Amino acid sequence: MLAERGVLVSGNWKMNENHFEALKLVQELGALLLAGTLPPGREVSLHPPFTSLRTVQTAVESDHIPVALGAQNCHWEDRGAYTGEVSAEMLAKLNVRYVITGHSERRQYFGETDEVVARKIDAILRHGMVPIVCVGETLAEREAGDAETKVRGQVRAALEGRPTEVVASVVLAYEPIWAIGTGRTATPADAQEMCAAIRSEVGHFAPSATAAIRVQYGGSVTPETAEELLAGEDIDGFLVGGASLDAQRLVSIVRARA
Ligand code: PGA
């Protein structure tokens, strides 16, 4: 990480934690976070399922827990006949700050294309929130030597053509699909190499955004691997799934030394 960019650690709870469980988890997290200080420039976001957002928001705001509220997905339209969907506008009303978009699980199981992801990014930005745009390759793509091409293409599809200051404000999350939920973390060298490639791709269409844009790594991050990964100069934090469901483990990752 570069000190000026700071570090963002985001807990992606996925389809876990009903609102009772979410309240317990956020209170545990709050107690641990409030018992100490965060390293300078460090930020935490929590991404509960939609049904737990309001509960987590209320707990965070009333107990002054130092975390930003996040969501895992949104629709690209503000309202309308889209049964079962939740809009970016609705999330903004709950003081959501970060919205994950283009997670590989959504691309894989719900057919989200680069085009859909770009429209969701439009909606998130339109409502003053920050997208966390996920990119990453499959194991087959990595083994075929296509990882970088795939990821660079996803970065362009998400961000090319947007104003430089907008590009500089978003968060990209490099999540190799083979590392998600598998216990198989990318090596620090591989993660750093790909995060550097992502930053250099941004440089092709928004050169002045490269120093500011934050690039997270995600995929089986644990307290044991966090410190080594954070040593990579292009890695500005983590998108954490499994380990974010355990308050103690998430806080250890949040406090990892850079
Ligand atoms: P994981 O998930 O930490 O459980 O691998 C990361 C993610 O999918 O965001």
Side-chain angles (χ1 to χ4, degrees):
M1 58 146 311
L2 196 73
E4 300 83 85
R5 286 196 291 269
V7 165
L8 172 65
V9 177
S10 303
N12 175 11
W13 293 357
K14 307 194 179 181
M15 198 171 71
N16 298 292
E17 311 304 311
N18 64 41
H19 74 286
F20 292 111
E21 296 160 341
L23 181 60
K24 185 164 171 280
L25 181 53
V26 73
Q27 284 174 336
E28 278 171 22
L29 265 166
L32 291 169
L33 289 172
L34 291 165
T37 51
L38 290 179
R42 200 137 313 187
E43 213 187 330
V44 185
S45 65
L46 295 180
H47 302 252
F50 289 137
T51 53
S52 299
L53 266 177
R54 177 67 170 165
T55 304
V56 173
Q57 181 211 7
T58 307
V60 164
E61 289 177 3
S62 60
D63 293 343
H64 307 290
I65 299 171
V67 301
L69 195 59
Q72 300 174 20
N73 180 35
C74 68
H75 195 267
W76 58 83
E77 293 292 350
D78 290 348
R79 55 190 61 228
Y82 297 100
T83 303
E85 291 294 314
V86 171
S87 71
E89 185 186 50
M90 294 167 180
L91 297 176
K93 276 272 181 287
L94 287 165
N95 287 348
V96 164
R97 170 146 183 75
Y98 291 101
V99 185
I100 297 170
T101 186
H103 192 284
S104 62
E105 286 152 13
R106 295 218 54 90
R107 295 182 192 256
Q108 189 181 343
Y109 305 133
F110 303 98
E112 278 189 19
T113 59
D114 280 345
E115 194 190 28
V116 165
V117 173
R119 293 179 72 185
K120 291 185 176 193
I121 295 171
D122 293 342
I124 296 162
L125 293 168
R126 192 162 68 235
H127 291 285
M129 298 179 291
V130 179
I132 297 180
V133 185
C134 302
V135 297
E137 81 284 359
T138 63
L139 188 57
E141 286 161 344
R142 172 154 285 255
E143 283 171 350
D146 295 336
E148 208 178 296
T149 312
K150 159 88 176 288
V151 166
R152 283 178 180 268
Q154 289 177 319
V155 170
R156 275 199 310 278
L159 299 181
E160 196 168 17
R162 298 183 191 274
T164 297
E165 63 278 12
V166 169
V167 175
S169 73
V170 313
V171 177
L172 288 163
Y174 169 56
E175 296 207 304
I177 295 165
W178 47 269
I180 296 177
T182 58
R184 197 178 150 193
T185 319
T187 64
D190 283 347
Q192 161 57 28
E193 191 185 353
M194 196 61 97
C195 290
I198 287 170
R199 201 179 300 283
S200 93
E201 188 57 38
V202 169
H204 287 154
F205 54 85
S208 359
T210 54
I213 194 168
R214 288 179 290 177
V215 184
Q216 294 177 315
Y217 167 79
S220 297
V221 175
T222 63
E224 294 72 35
T225 54
E227 214 153 282
E228 239 191 317
L229 285 161
L230 212 47
E233 73 172 292
D234 289 292
I235 300 178
D236 307 312
F238 304 115
L239 185 51
V240 187
S244 75
L245 299 173
D246 179 313
Q248 189 70 62
R249 283 166 72 73
L250 183 60
V251 170
S252 300
I253 295 170
V254 167
R255 294 222 164 97
R257 263 179 315 197

